[in-house]
Every structure is written in C-alpha cells, then in structure tokens.
Amino acid sequence: MTVAVLSSTDAFARIASSLCVPNPGQDAERTVAFVCQVIRRAALAVTPCGRSALETVAVEALRGFWSDRATLASTVEQATEELLAYGDLLEMQVPVEGSGRASFVIRAAPPHHVMQGADSCVILGLGNEEITPLPASTLTRVHHLGALRFLNGDGASDLSAFLAENGFPSLDQKGWLRLPREETPGDFLRVWWEKLAAQDRSGEIEGLRVISVESSVRYYKGRWMEPAKLSGRFVARRPQAYGADLWCIVELDGGRSVRLLDVTSAGDLRRPCDIAWRIQMAQDALAGRRQVFRVVRNDDATFVEFLSPLPSWAQRRLLVSGIRTQRPRCLMAFAIRRDELPNVLNFLKNCLWLEETTH
C-alpha cells in the first residue's frame, strides 16, 4: 500500500470528489453544497442523535480546513438549518424517560423526490449506506445548488418512474410544502394565546430571552433581549440541560415570567422555530410594524430579499417558484421566475403577513 502526503488543498479537493460535489474554492454557494454533503455523510454515521452532536461531528471533520473554528461552526449550523428546512433531515420529539418531558433528535429522512416540471426534480433524504444511492451514470446529472440536490432527466425516459424504481418514491408538492391555511394574524395568534392562558403559573426562568415587538424588524439578531422590565406576551427561547435552547411563548409581568408554553405541533408536522417565527410575524403585523421584504429587479433576474428568518415551509414554497441565492444586505434571498412573482407576493402577504419595502 502506498501512502501519499497531501497538501490541505489536495485533500480538500479529494474529499469534495468523494462527496460528488465540485471543489468549492472561494464560491459561497458551492461551499454550502460541500458542507451539506459532509453533514449528510455524518448523519449516515451518527443519527439518530441531538442536533448539537451531529454538528459537532461535522465541525470536527472539517476543522483542519477552516482557519477560524467559530466561522466553521456557524457555517455548519446554517447548513444544518437548511437541510432541516428542505427535508433532508427530520427533527423529531422523543420522550425523556422519567422526566415527563421531551427532547429533539435528528433523523435522516428516507429517500424521495419532488418533481419540478416534467423532467426535473429535487432529490431529498438519504440512503441507508450512501448519501444518494443512485447509479453512477445518474449521479453525474445531479446538480448541487446550496443545500439542494437537483436532478434533470435524460430526455428519453420517465424521470419520476425511474427514481421510484431505484428507491426514491415520489412526494407530491402539496405533501412536501405542508403549507398552513391562510388566516388573519389575529385568528392565528388567538389560538396560541388561549393555549398560553391555560398554563399554570411558571415562576422564574433562568436564561430566558425574548423578541421585543418594539425593536426594528430590519435587524433580527438585534431584536433578542433579556426580559428586563417587559410586560406582555412574547416569543422566547429558554435553555435546557442538553441541546439547543427551546422555543416558547411567555407572558411577562414587569420582567417576571407568569406563564410559559413550549411551542410544538402534533406529530412534529411543524418545527418549533417555524411556529415561533410565524407567531412573531403575526404579532408584528397586529402591532403595525410588519416584517418586510425587498424585490430587486435587474436584466437577469428578479430577487426577493428577506431581513428575518422564514419558516421552512415558506422556503420550500419559494423554491417552487425559483432558487435560493446569495445577496448582500439581507438574511436570505431567492431568485424568482418573473411569471411566478405575483403568486409569490400574494403568498408572502397573505400567509406570512409581510409587506414590501423599497429600502
């Protein structure tokens, strides 16, 4: 056996090749694709497990190629979030024995595909031993764009039928999107405030952070603060012994917690963060300070830019009408087909209660 000493650049290129993605170099979109493949590979080895455990495995695998560990950890965290949003990974509740409470674990989604038009699809989920268990001739047509894997047909056969025969059953768009019904922000909030009001008094909660309704909707990170002397009902996060902070809603009186409810949905159909972000959107809309998006048009494309996080189902809906892309001065952005823009704007205004801004 011959042992070769490789430079970090050559080793990085070989890892990218083994993961069936292009060497990312300095390209941001390709870097996301590369990191997502590393996380998928890690998921095959260690899931089911907590999210932090999965991310730690990915960070340790890549730390020799990043000069700054904090930047790498942030990149892995964002990539994991996208894999959860699009459905490659699933975050599910499991009961904690003897505690009467539940924690969240990550599992790999089973392989499936969602058609986009007659001869193109999104590949989702993982195999038992391989990330994308398809014939080598088919893998050469898989195109990685950020966290997503797209596959174009060969023009000679039925792509959906071929994938189903090879272990990737079809999932229709409705099943993939799992969109909530349209309703007013007041009707949506009323359900959650009634659930909160039904809770017993909570007492003091260490480490609680809340989103201030009075803060600027243009800077998401700056909206988070300690309860201080706040009163009212808020979207919040609270620490737990192991794993990421839990999403919740809380009633405060002079900074003291009166009632608290962890936000979950029956059957894990909605991620807690997705529920919480929509509650905040509804609160902002009723307060007359709607969260905003920008539409930027140029000769090549129409971009919709967001300054706050979007629920995963909203991101999937936007992918039906375009692709995710990198843009300056925003939290996330999508390049939208021009003929789809009216549908997208209607969706953003009626399902998320957002409004368009020009700056």
Side-chain angles (χ1 to χ4, degrees), residues 121-332:
C121 73
V122 176
I123 295 289
L124 299 166
L126 307 178
N128 292 327
E129 298 179 355
E130 299 178 42
I131 297 174
T132 314
L134 289 170
S137 59
T138 304
L139 286 177
T140 60
R141 302 203 309 273
V142 174
H143 171 59
H144 292 258
L145 186 61
L148 287 168
R149 292 168 289 169
F150 293 92
L151 175 63
N152 294 324
D154 59 9
S157 58
D158 185 320
L159 178 60
S160 185
F162 168 80
L163 288 170
E165 291 170 358
N166 283 270
F168 283 79
S170 175
L171 178 65
D172 63 32
Q173 282 194 359
K174 183 178 180 180
W176 183 46
L177 295 177
R178 301 197 305 275
L179 298 179
R181 63 185 176 89
E182 289 188 10
E183 56 187 321
T184 67
D187 287 343
F188 175 71
L189 274 182
R190 188 175 301 112
V191 173
W192 287 101
W193 292 161
E194 288 175 355
K195 290 181 179 180
L196 178 61
Q199 304 303 302
D200 295 332
R201 297 183 73 87
S202 62
E204 204 65 28
I205 300 168
E206 292 292 331
L208 189 71
R209 295 178 299 129
V210 302
I211 296 180
S212 170
V213 181
E214 300 299 321
S215 58
S216 172
V217 297
R218 294 176 177 274
Y219 181 47
Y220 175 70
K221 287 186 178 180
R223 305 193 70 183
W224 287 95
M225 61 181 58
E226 295 181 356
K229 296 182 179 180
L230 295 173
S231 296
R233 293 170 294 200
F234 300 86
V235 168
R237 297 193 75 176
R238 64 181 184 86
Q240 58 177 335
Y242 302 100
D245 291 356
L246 297 173
W247 289 91
C248 52
I249 51 177
V250 62
E251 180 183 344
L252 298 176
D253 183 7
R256 296 178 178 273
S257 174
V258 178
R259 292 180 180 83
L260 179 139
L261 174 67
D262 292 334
V263 290
T264 59
S265 67
D268 294 322
L269 293 178
R270 298 264 181 257
R271 298 169 61 211
C273 60
D274 291 346
I275 299 170
W277 286 331
R278 198 176 188 219
I279 290 173
Q280 189 60 52
M281 289 171 175
Q283 270 197 292
D284 291 334
L286 289 180
R289 301 161 58 87
R290 292 176 185 261
Q291 294 181 32
V292 298
F293 64 90
R294 292 188 295 258
V295 178
V296 181
R297 300 171 175 85
N298 60 29
D299 293 338
D300 299 321
T302 299
F303 301 98
V304 180
E305 302 173 348
F306 299 93
L307 307 181
S308 299
L310 292 179
S312 57
W313 48 265
Q315 295 181 48
R316 293 192 295 268
R317 170 59 187 86
L318 293 172
L319 284 173
V320 173
S321 302
I323 59 172
R324 183 153 179 182
T325 187
Q326 300 282 334
R327 296 281 293 172
R329 298 174 47 245
C330 64
L331 200 60
M332 67 176 66

Side-chain angles (χ1 to χ4, degrees), residues 96-128:
V96 177
E97 187 175 353
S99 71
R101 309 184 71 171
S103 64
F104 288 88
V105 299
I106 301 291
R107 297 181 184 274
H112 52 287
H113 74 277
V114 179
M115 293 302 297
Q116 287 197 315
D119 204 34
S120 179
C121 73
V122 176
I123 295 289
L124 299 166
L126 307 178
N128 292 327

Side-chain angles (χ1 to χ4, degrees), residues 21 39 43 45-46 48 67 71 153 189 196 261 265 283 318 337 347:
V21 291
I39 296 169
V46 302
S67 59
T71 300
L189 274 182
L196 178 61
L261 174 67
S265 67
Q283 270 197 292
L318 293 172
R337 297 191 299 275
F347 166 73

